[in-house]
Amino acid sequence: MPSTETVRRQRALGGGFGLVVLCFGLSYHFFPGLLRTSSQSQGPVLAPSAAPAPNMGFDQRPQAAPRMVSEVDSGPPLMLASAAVIAGHRREPVPAPEGASVPDSAESKKLLERATQALAADHLTGGPDSALALYNEVLKANADSLKGKAGVAEVHARLLAEAEQALALGDGDTARERVKMLKAMPDSAADTAALNDKLKLLDQVQPVLAQAADLMRQDKAASPVGGSALDLYRRVLSMDPGNAVASQGMAQVQRVVLDQALTAVARNDFAGADKALADAAAIQPDSQALQDTRGRVEGMRRQSAEGLLAQARSALDAGDQALAGKLAKQAQGISPDLAGLDEFNERMTNARLYASYKPGQVFSDRFVDSGGQGPAMVVLPTGSYQMGSAEDEKGHDASESPRHTVDIAKGFALSRSEVTVGQFREFVRATGYVPDSQKLGGSSIYDEASGGLRDDAQATWMSDYAGKPAADGLPVINVSWNDARAFAAWLASRSGQRYRLPSEAEFEYAERGGTATRFWWGDGSPASRVENITGSGDRTTSGRRWSNAMPGYRDGYWGPAPVQSFAPNPDGLYDMGGNVSEWVQDCWHDNYIRAPRDGSAWDNPGCTRRVIRGGSWGSAPDMLRSAFRQGAGADTRSARVGFRVLREL
């Protein structure tokens, strides 16, 4: 049968089962001085390192290499081990007796054997058959018996261990019994004094712990403030910093709060989850449970944010920018550093400013009712510039004043070059449109004999600058503002996109290409072949040359050149400052007073005089400036004037 002490201990443990459960998860942190069990290893053992192993949570860091440890330095919390194991930890070496060792007699050996059996049965004290009584008999017979002394030390260690175990479990009765037994042993005054102090402390904290457990059952783990189990556990730890039950209670409270964080994030309440995690960190900031839950919350957070971002991409692809922006904002609010947000925001900007194109991108719209396509278009970036010219600019004209800031807040696309004869021919064939050069009769063409332009009733949009049949790759000339607008309207109907003539402000913005000089290539003669303009080195077949030309420049053409024969300007547009001048949308005004500042066309209902921008193959140098402008009737046709189109994004 088990001893009385064993029965009583079992009864106490059974009655305190809840406390045992609480203590089951005790970590080394709570028992830094008791976390060792007796070693059975016969080989060498390495000394334990003083540095604790790092926690491995969401923010994982590599641990040190595994080290050899004995059972003394490993295993579960010591208070859950047997008294023998605890005693093995506490046992101190028995000092060797002075003088010669006296061997135990045969009778003493029998007593030692019985004492060993009593130890194995946990019958430590009480009665002549207890381990302590038998070891004392051995010592009476042989005061220098090493085994007798070792046995008494073992009993002492086990009694001390059982007392501490009972204290850790809150079993004050068992602890007092062990203290009483220890008092009967020699050299135990210090131990019993320390245990009595702990018993007094236990009497103080037990009612508080019981009240905390009751609050836990009432779901008042961490609230209300001032009346929660957390408050009571903290009070106990302020009284008894090493109290295992209070420490485990703190861990249990933290788990309740961490569960609240997981519940909140499951409801997509990420603000609530963050608050719960912050509250949990204030309880036990270094716990593994906190690290693990943070990792789970972060994973759920990212999963939710990635789902919202995927929906935002789908909305953007469908053209719903408002919904896409709303979803992306929600995703960013959930996970600010979410991968893909920067790329999506760039797409949103491009969608808002450039209809998902990018500045500098070249594209062509396919016709919706056939296999054809529109001209190549270049996407221009948003920005601001000074429109017009300063009064001290060489060649300045009053019509270019006052110089003013124009803001281009939304990107647009401009045709890469002037509309060609071939492109205009396709328009005429497809629509049956009759251009003004045919309807009104003729145009102005270049006359080699006089060296200037003259009217020719036979010249049409199909003619070149001298009245001869034009190649399809040449810019179409001899077209009126009315013809240019009709072509843009046809492109819009064929492509389903918004095509029109550029405004005067948009044209100058595109021609300058971010420059502020007289010409887009600089302030004087070009250093290379950049445009088809009047150069002092150009000659006709009969030897004519320009009387007013760019000094030292020769491009090799007298008359328009095939489009894109020269260098593009900084925005990737060809022939903006030469080849042919171009119609724009605006009505003619003598100056810029009250002109729009947003890049829109300055249009007046019923106006008949329109603006022409850009230099041509026959323009004087001052007329090649980026700020130069001139007006003409909407039905005017000229061998030096064509057009290009703009596509709104």
Side-chain angles (χ1 to χ4, degrees):
M1 289 184 63
S3 66
T4 302
E5 292 81 355
T6 302
V7 172
R8 188 165 185 174
R9 182 170 60 257
Q10 290 174 345
R11 185 163 55 248
L13 291 175
F17 180 73
L19 292 176
V20 174
V21 173
L22 286 178
C23 294
F24 186 74
L26 287 176
S27 66
Y28 295 120
H29 174 71
F30 302 133
F31 293 100
L34 299 177
L35 303 183
R36 296 189 294 274
T37 58
S38 59
S39 172
Q40 303 300 319
S41 172
Q42 299 301 315
V45 177
L46 296 181
S49 170
N55 288 329
M56 295 294 284
F58 175 70
D59 180 19
Q60 296 207 5
R61 299 174 294 278
Q63 285 184 314
R67 59 188 177 88
M68 293 179 61
V69 295
S70 71
E71 294 179 5
V72 171
D73 299 305
S74 64
L78 188 62
M79 288 302 101
L80 300 181
S82 67
V85 172
I86 301 172
H89 157 67
R90 286 199 165 274
R91 185 188 300 115
E92 296 180 357
V94 179
E98 296 180 1
S101 175
V102 179
D104 293 314
S105 64
E107 184 64 26
S108 293
K109 290 180 180 179
K110 290 180 181 181
L111 290 173
L112 288 170
E113 185 177 350
R114 289 172 59 195
T116 301
Q117 293 173 354
L119 274 178
D122 205 22
H123 185 191
L124 302 180
T125 64
D129 293 329
S130 66
L132 180 59
L134 293 170
Y135 283 126
N136 282 332
E137 286 295 323
V138 172
L139 292 174
K140 285 181 182 179
N142 181 6
D144 295 327
S145 173
L146 295 179
K147 292 183 178 180
K149 291 179 179 181
V152 171
E154 176 71 14
V155 172
H156 183 280
R158 289 201 188 187
L159 287 173
L160 182 58
E162 288 182 0
E164 291 184 339
Q165 186 181 51
L167 284 169
L169 297 175
D171 184 359
D173 291 340
T174 300
R176 286 185 178 88
E177 281 191 5
R178 298 304 180 269
V179 171
K180 184 179 179 180
M181 295 176 185
L182 279 170
K183 284 182 178 179
M185 299 187 68
D187 302 324
S188 61
D191 290 331
T192 55
L195 290 172
N196 280 325
D197 289 341
K198 293 181 180 180
L199 278 167
K200 291 177 183 178
L201 188 57
L202 178 63
D203 291 338
Q204 295 175 18
V205 301
Q206 271 189 325
V208 183
L209 291 172
Q211 186 181 356
D214 185 57
L215 290 175
M216 290 290 292
R217 288 190 291 269
Q218 298 177 40
D219 293 329
K220 296 181 179 179
S223 62
V225 176
S228 68
L230 177 60
D231 297 316
L232 296 180
Y233 286 133
R234 283 174 171 162
R235 188 196 307 173
V236 170
L237 288 174
S238 68
M239 299 163 61
D240 181 12
N243 190 280
V245 175
S247 297
Q248 186 62 20
M250 293 280 284
Q252 199 170 21
V253 171
Q254 186 184 59
R255 283 195 292 272
V256 171
V257 178
L258 292 175
D259 286 343
Q260 294 172 359
L262 293 174
T263 300
V265 80
R267 296 195 303 262
N268 288 329
D269 179 10
F270 295 99
D274 289 340
K275 181 181 182 305
L277 285 174
D279 291 343
I283 297 171
Q284 288 185 342
D286 299 323
S287 73
Q288 187 65 46
L290 175 62
Q291 298 293 338
D292 293 343
T293 305
R294 277 177 175 163
R296 291 180 62 186
V297 169
E298 182 63 22
M300 296 168 74
R301 182 193 301 274
R302 288 188 180 277
Q303 185 177 16
S304 177
E306 287 169 355
L308 286 170
L309 188 58
Q311 294 177 44
R313 291 191 180 103
S314 298
L316 186 58
D317 291 340
D320 193 341
Q321 294 183 29
L323 178 59
K326 180 180 179 181
L327 291 169
K329 186 176 181 180
Q330 292 176 4
Q332 186 169 15
I334 292 171
S335 183
D337 59 345
L338 181 67
L341 269 176
D342 290 342
E343 178 270 338
F344 177 83
N345 289 333
E346 182 180 354
R347 282 191 59 196
M348 277 290 292
T349 299
N350 288 340
R352 179 171 55 85
L353 299 178
Y354 310 108
S356 297
Y357 293 103
K358 295 181 179 180
Q361 184 174 348
V362 179
F363 69 92
S364 296
D365 286 320
R366 294 193 175 277
F367 295 153
V368 296
D369 57 353
S370 70
Q373 63 183 29
M377 310 296 294
V378 178
V379 178
L380 271 71
T382 59
S384 299
Y385 78 105
Q386 292 292 303
M387 185 176 182
S389 63
E391 293 185 2
D392 60 351
E393 180 177 296
K394 184 180 180 181
H396 167 77
D397 187 85
S399 67
E400 301 162 11
S401 297
R403 198 177 189 192
H404 57 285
T405 300
V406 173
D407 296 318
I408 306 296
K410 185 171 176 57
F412 60 88
L414 202 61
S415 53
R416 203 175 188 186
S417 64
E418 300 111 340
V419 173
T420 65
V421 173
Q423 290 167 335
F424 198 82
R425 190 190 313 280
E426 183 181 0
F427 154 63
V428 171
R429 286 175 178 173
T431 62
Y433 176 82
V434 180
D436 282 348
S437 60
Q438 293 173 302
K439 182 167 57 178
L440 302 179
S443 177
S444 65
I445 64 172
Y446 174 75
D447 179 42
E448 176 69 18
S450 64
L453 297 180
R454 65 173 176 82
D455 290 338
D456 186 336
Q458 303 304 313
T460 71
W461 62 270
M462 292 177 285
S463 306
D464 68 5
Y465 77 107
K468 298 178 181 179
D472 281 350
L474 288 171
V476 65
I477 53 175
N478 304 323
V479 288
S480 67
W481 180 88
N482 301 317
D483 298 336
R485 187 180 64 166
F487 179 87
W490 170 73
L491 273 183
S493 65
R494 293 293 299 276
S495 66
Q497 303 297 335
R498 298 185 298 274
Y499 280 90
R500 59 174 172 81
L501 294 179
S503 70
E504 185 178 5
E506 289 167 337
F507 190 97
E508 184 173 333
Y509 177 69
E511 181 178 0
R512 288 185 179 278
T515 67
T517 49
R518 292 180 70 212
F519 317 102
W520 68 257
W521 59 83
D523 287 317
S525 296
S528 60
R529 293 175 73 251
V530 294
E531 291 276 15
N532 177 19
I533 54 177
T534 52
S536 62
D538 291 328
R539 300 286 187 276
T540 67
T541 54
S542 64
R544 282 189 176 277
R545 61 184 181 180
W546 299 110
S547 59
N548 184 12
M550 281 286 187
Y553 184 75
R554 180 178 183 277
D555 55 50
Y557 284 91
W558 196 282
V563 298
Q564 298 186 36
S565 295
F566 296 88
N569 79 345
D571 279 339
L573 299 166
Y574 292 87
D575 308 317
M576 289 296 293
N579 215 25
V580 297
S581 299
E582 303 177 26
W583 290 108
V584 294
Q585 180 66 33
D586 302 58
C587 294
W588 172 258
H589 296 82
D590 291 336
N591 52 54
Y592 287 138
I593 297 175
R594 294 187 299 277
R597 300 297 199 262
D598 61 358
S600 60
W602 195 0
D603 213 345
N604 304 111
C607 75
T608 59
R609 189 170 175 79
R610 299 287 172 172
V611 178
I612 296 173
R613 294 299 300 250
S616 76
W617 60 273
S619 299
D622 286 348
M623 300 172 66
L624 299 173
R625 293 176 302 111
S626 296
F628 179 76
R629 57 196 296 264
Q630 56 186 316
D635 59 357
T636 300
R637 287 91 61 202
S638 170
R640 297 195 307 187
V641 179
F643 70 98
R644 73 180 68 214
V645 292
L646 178 146
R647 202 265 237 182
E648 296 179 1
L649 301 177

